Amino acid sequence: MPDYTAFATQTGTQRYAQRFAHLAADHFRLRYGLQLSSVGIGTYRGAADAATSTGYVESIVAAVEAGCNVIDTAINYRHMRSERDVGAALARLFATGAARRDELIVCSKGGFLPYDGAPPADRLAFIQERLEELDLAPLELVGGVHCMAPAYLSQQIGVSLTNLGLQTIDVYYLHNPETQLQYVTPDEFRSRLRAAFERLEQEAADGRIRFYGVATWEGLRVGQQDRRYLPLYQLVEMARQVGGAKHRFRFLQFPYNLGMLEAVVDRNQPFTRETEGRQENLMLPLLAAARQYALVAVGSAGLMQSGVLGNVPDEVMEALGGWESDAQAALHFNRSTPGLTTSLVGMSTPAHVRENLAAAQRAGVDAQTFWGLLKE
């Protein structure tokens, strides 16, 4: 029998959402039986030092206690410190009873070669040691930074589980797989990606992860002529081939904020549908295509790494109902985006948590208002 205390569940996330009934009714979104908060906490930015770690631990605890149950990290963030900070925060939350494991959706990523605590003095020697340790061919580690060989992914999942202090990672992303396309042919890339998907399906069957997906920076945003472009239909087709109809490829992560709107305005994803007995070939924006494939869309860089602060136009602020800060208005805009489940934002102090989670106190604007904002 599955150990339901080892991962997020329908019962657990519903229990968690009910504790925050005072927040907006649309703050929690039901996806694959899980209630996900519309604002999630990210752990990318900051120095790899003890002071930043203290801030992250306090912020993660504060976020979970304020109604945020989506926690996002990666093994390479701050040289593994971010994963360990998440682990420390979770241990505190569980020990105090502020949250249970089955209430929280913990997400991590693998692909980039991580350092341990700090960069090594001899980077080339470090890379050679990792290749020998994992019995990898040199060409599998492209650019000396990125690898998605099956054995490597399994090893990285094991390290991440140790860092996080968990039995199961709820969502595991292939981290910027488009990095490989700068070094290998499209055919070789598809072969590597298929092998990675096969291994992640096995990891899910073994209970070390629940779902998997891709977390990209460029791949899902750029146009078809860009070498880094990732066609969503190919990813879904590959998942169906290796995992069947019940495959676990269910999550997408990509940058989305007021300054990076490609996911709703750029028609870069082919989609074919049957209409009255004939095939109709369409080009859809990413979020529309993700919805057709029933994929959970998660926006990263919700504040454009602070780039939107001080730059929210007055008319946008007014249309969003007026907010005390640009951060709140920007996150409210993200939350209102049709098809976007969660907007991730880095929060390294409890003060940031309180400010940003205020955006979840009002229901998102209606679709007409949202699309009107884009026309402006």
Side-chain angles (χ1 to χ4, degrees):
M1 291 288 292
D3 179 0
Y4 292 107
T5 64
F7 47 80
T9 67
Q10 180 172 356
T11 299
T13 57
Q14 183 64 40
R15 182 197 315 121
Y16 181 86
Q18 288 171 349
R19 293 209 300 274
F20 297 94
H22 59 282
L23 297 178
D26 66 351
H27 175 50
F28 290 97
R29 287 97 188 267
L30 182 63
R31 305 287 187 269
Y32 293 103
L34 302 177
Q35 296 282 352
L36 288 83
S37 57
S38 63
V39 177
I41 184 167
T43 59
Y44 170 62
R45 300 186 73 186
D49 58 24
T52 304
S53 287
T54 297
Y56 268 126
V57 172
E58 297 295 336
S59 297
I60 294 164
V61 169
V64 171
E65 292 178 340
C68 167
N69 74 336
V70 178
I71 303 168
D72 185 83
T73 190
I75 194 169
N76 64 307
Y77 286 176
R78 300 175 49 248
H79 311 318
M80 288 202 264
R81 285 177 177 261
S82 287
E83 275 194 338
R84 291 166 182 162
D85 295 342
V86 172
L90 293 176
R92 185 189 301 183
L93 288 161
F94 300 157
T96 61
R100 301 184 197 177
R101 174 65 186 97
D102 63 353
E103 298 175 339
L104 307 180
I105 297 96
V106 182
C107 315
S108 195
K109 314 177 189 73
F112 287 105
L113 182 68
Y115 301 140
D116 191 347
D122 188 337
R123 182 173 175 274
L124 291 178
F126 176 82
I127 291 173
Q128 186 60 39
E129 289 173 5
R130 297 291 83 71
L131 290 172
E132 293 174 358
E133 173 189 333
L134 299 169
D135 194 25
L136 294 173
L139 292 179
E140 290 180 295
L141 182 66
V142 300
V145 297
H146 194 276
C147 182
M148 55 185 190
Y152 179 74
L153 292 175
S154 288
Q155 188 268 352
Q156 293 287 276
I157 289 172
V159 175
S160 290
L161 288 169
T162 298
N163 288 341
L164 295 164
L166 299 178
Q167 294 175 254
T168 304
I169 297 169
D170 296 295
V171 183
Y172 192 77
Y173 295 103
L174 278 179
H175 200 177
N176 290 7
E178 67 268 30
T179 303
Q180 298 265 328
L181 283 167
Q182 300 176 59
Y183 301 92
V184 302
T185 66
D187 283 346
E188 175 63 19
F189 173 77
R190 284 190 288 271
S191 176
R192 293 184 179 193
L193 192 63
R194 182 188 177 94
F197 277 22
E198 287 176 341
R199 179 57 61 93
L200 293 174
E201 286 287 346
Q202 185 60 53
E203 291 287 350
D206 292 343
R208 299 211 303 170
I209 65 174
R210 289 282 285 165
F211 299 100
Y212 66 96
V214 293
T216 75
W217 189 257
E218 303 287 359
L220 294 171
R221 299 193 299 126
V222 297
Q224 290 179 291
Q225 302 309 311
D226 194 298
R227 185 177 178 86
R228 301 162 296 178
Y229 173 72
L230 296 176
L232 192 55
Y233 77 92
Q234 286 187 4
L235 303 184
V236 174
E237 183 178 289
M238 190 176 293
R240 289 171 176 166
Q241 289 171 357
V242 303
K246 295 183 179 180
H247 63 83
R248 282 82 158 199
F249 176 72
R250 299 298 180 183
F251 282 74
L252 298 177
Q253 188 181 128
F254 48 86
Y256 181 77
N257 52 62
L258 276 168
M260 303 171 78
L261 296 170
E262 296 90 348
V264 291
V265 299
D266 289 357
R267 295 179 176 271
N268 70 338
Q269 293 294 334
F271 179 76
T272 301
R273 71 180 179 188
E274 294 285 338
T275 304
E276 297 180 352
R278 63 183 179 85
Q279 285 193 339
E280 183 179 8
N281 297 317
L282 306 173
M283 291 298 293
L284 300 177
L286 176 61
L287 275 171
R291 189 161 53 246
Q292 293 294 329
Y293 294 119
L295 296 172
V296 182
V298 177
S300 61
L303 297 179
M304 202 177 175
Q305 297 175 357
S306 301
V308 303
L309 304 184
N311 293 304
V312 178
D314 291 341
E315 60 270 22
V316 173
M317 181 73 81
E318 182 179 352
L320 291 172
W323 289 89
E324 293 182 1
S325 71
D326 280 3
Q328 293 170 355
L331 289 173
H332 188 59
F333 172 87
N334 296 353
R335 290 184 62 254
S336 301
T337 303
L340 190 75
T341 296
T342 298
S343 179
L344 299 173
V345 57
M347 295 184 271
S348 57
T349 70
H352 288 155
V353 171
R354 288 190 292 273
E355 178 181 3
N356 294 336
L357 264 294
Q361 294 177 358
R362 300 187 210 167
V365 299
D366 60 80
Q368 182 177 354
T369 301
F370 175 83
W371 294 114
L373 283 170
L374 288 189
K375 292 178 181 178
E376 293 178 8

